[in-house]
Amino acid sequence: MAENNVALIVGATGLSGSYAGRLLKEQGWTVVTLSRAAADLEFSDRHIAADLQDAAATAAALQAAGDVTHVFFCTWSRQANEAENVRVNALMIRNLFDGLADAPIRHAALVTGLKHYLGSFDDYARVKPYTPFLESSPRLPGLNFYYAQEDVLFEMAEKRGFTWSVHRPHTMIGFVIGNAMNMAVTLAVYASICKHTGRPFVYPGSPEQLNAVTDVTDARLLAKQLLWAATTPAAANMPFNTSNGDVFRWTWLWQQIADYFGIAAAPYPGQPTPLEGQMADAQTVWSEIVAKHGLQDIPVNRLASWWHSDADLGRTLECFTDMTNSRTLGFDAYQSTRSSFTDVFDELRARRIIPA
């Protein structure tokens, strides 16, 4: 029963963690949240601030966690190279479970992503994968911190006797401020700047990605899948791709976004025009927009992650996923991708973060 479920959400201020936390709280769970810094989260029954790279500090902080029954690991730490990514991110998970040595854990979920199929930052897309990405695909050769995270999870699950699930979303869409990988907010800021300045709203990525079939993952859908896997015995000990359930091409979605903001979708110039270069003066322009429209005064670099959207939109290979594992077990949640974006845009307007 829900009243006996105590969730520990690791990375609770990010996209996947915050949406999972809200859903679990709505379902009657006790929600304990963890992040590096103190945080006031409306869905959290108690918050723990801990640096998971520090084993002693983590163990001490987790004494306040209580009788955790379910762990949702929704964070990672980017390092200078993949060897360090592997070392640090595996250490973080190990320190967490070591700090929960006495907790009555029944299930632990790990959120990773499509670098499972595409390769690490250092080896990204060097091997062209089969699409749609299959959950049964073997691991790629070489270092990959997602594999290292999985291996620690598998080890701990076997040692402690709890079940596990691994969730592999594509590009995450949702509302959160300060997240380093947030395409919907980034594109809302870009469109607002183009509307304010009269600059062309040009698709900034590669021609291959502009025309390819692709998909994305709404954070609300990921939260539903996390809850489903944690409470469905047949879903134990399996990996799950996670996407909205529809596919699209950016040739279509770019026009949809332009229409929402009441601007023209500029003709594609035939080659990438990365946002990082286009938006070099973004903070100055954004300050003008904030003053003109009386918006919340949030620095543009806390809203937009130009580099991450450039990476996603600049890919030169097709990326979309197959969800056989969860579909065959009865997980049938679906989310319209257009609404994934426009719902975030609506919330940004309602909170006076972008102009109406």
Side-chain angles (χ1 to χ4, degrees):
M1 297 182 61
E3 59 265 26
N4 298 321
N5 292 330
V6 180
L8 175 63
I9 311 240
V10 184
T13 59
L15 263 175
S16 54
S18 63
Y19 276 79
R22 278 192 288 270
L23 179 62
L24 293 171
K25 188 64 179 174
E26 290 168 3
Q27 297 296 314
W29 290 45
T30 298
V31 176
V32 183
T33 53
L34 186 150
S35 63
R36 289 192 63 174
D40 182 14
L41 303 169
E42 76 279 2
F43 56 84
S44 177
D45 290 291
R46 55 185 175 275
H47 184 76
I48 296 169
D51 179 358
L52 293 180
Q53 296 184 45
D54 185 328
T58 297
L62 287 173
Q63 290 179 13
D67 292 334
V68 172
T69 60
H70 294 73
V71 174
F72 299 87
F73 199 94
C74 306
T75 192
W76 65 287
S77 178
R78 186 171 184 179
Q79 304 299 309
N81 55 59
E82 196 60 19
E84 278 298 288
N85 280 335
V86 166
R87 183 188 69 80
V88 168
N89 286 282
L91 177 67
M92 290 167 61
I93 294 189
R94 187 173 299 280
N95 286 344
L96 177 81
F97 284 112
D98 285 348
L100 295 171
D102 297 325
I105 300 171
R106 301 199 296 269
H107 182 83
L110 170 65
V111 177
T112 62
L114 295 196
K115 283 187 288 296
H116 186 94
Y117 308 108
L118 292 165
S120 69
F121 287 109
D122 290 358
D123 293 320
Y124 193 75
R126 290 190 182 180
V127 177
K128 185 177 181 179
Y130 172 81
T131 52
F133 300 136
L134 302 177
E135 294 144 324
S136 58
S137 298
R139 289 181 174 183
L140 299 173
L143 295 175
N144 190 314
F145 80 89
Y146 284 167
Y147 304 162
Q149 288 181 310
E150 285 186 346
D151 287 343
V152 176
L153 174 67
F154 301 158
E155 174 193 338
M156 292 294 177
E158 183 174 9
K159 177 181 176 182
R160 302 275 295 278
F162 57 78
T163 61
W164 58 264
S165 58
V166 174
H167 303 260
R168 300 168 184 162
H170 195 171
T171 300
M172 290 282 292
I173 306 300
F175 174 84
V176 70
I177 301 302
N179 183 264
M181 298 184 292
N182 194 335
M183 181 183 283
V185 178
T186 298
L187 294 184
V189 171
Y190 176 49
S192 298
I193 288 175
C194 289
K195 187 171 185 176
H196 175 77
T197 61
R199 297 177 189 179
F201 183 59
V202 59
Y203 177 81
S206 68
E208 293 89 348
Q209 195 62 209
L210 176 65
N211 294 292
V213 173
T214 192
D215 56 21
V216 296
T217 305
D218 192 298
R220 295 170 294 190
L221 187 137
L222 173 59
K224 292 174 184 177
Q225 194 190 62
L226 285 165
L227 172 60
W228 168 83
T231 56
T232 302
N237 306 329
M238 294 182 72
F240 300 107
N241 287 337
T242 316
S243 61
N244 281 356
D246 60 6
V247 293
F248 66 94
R249 301 178 199 271
W250 278 102
T251 49
W252 170 79
L253 186 58
W254 200 253
Q255 183 65 57
Q256 303 299 307
I257 295 173
D259 289 346
Y260 178 95
F261 285 97
I263 55 180
Y268 183 64
Q271 70 279 331
T273 52
L275 292 171
E276 276 201 299
Q278 287 193 57
M279 296 289 104
D281 62 345
Q283 185 54 62
T284 299
V285 177
W286 194 249
S287 296
E288 296 174 3
I289 295 172
V290 168
K292 178 179 178 180
H293 296 277
L295 306 179
Q296 290 191 49
D297 191 6
I298 302 173
V300 75
N301 60 6
R302 289 201 66 230
L303 296 172
S305 47
W306 310 122
W307 70 271
H308 182 262
S309 293
D310 281 341
D312 270 8
L313 299 177
R315 289 183 297 211
T316 57
L317 71 169
E318 184 177 73
C319 297
F320 66 105
T321 59
D322 176 89
M323 292 179 64
T324 291
N325 282 358
S326 59
R327 294 296 191 225
T328 56
L329 292 173
F331 180 73
D332 59 0
Y334 167 86
Q335 172 64 47
S336 156
T337 288
R338 185 186 185 280
S339 294
S340 290
F341 282 87
T342 59
D343 287 353
V344 174
F345 301 159
D346 288 347
E347 186 160 5
L348 290 167
R349 283 181 166 177
R351 292 175 182 253
R352 301 199 59 76
I353 295 172
I354 65 171

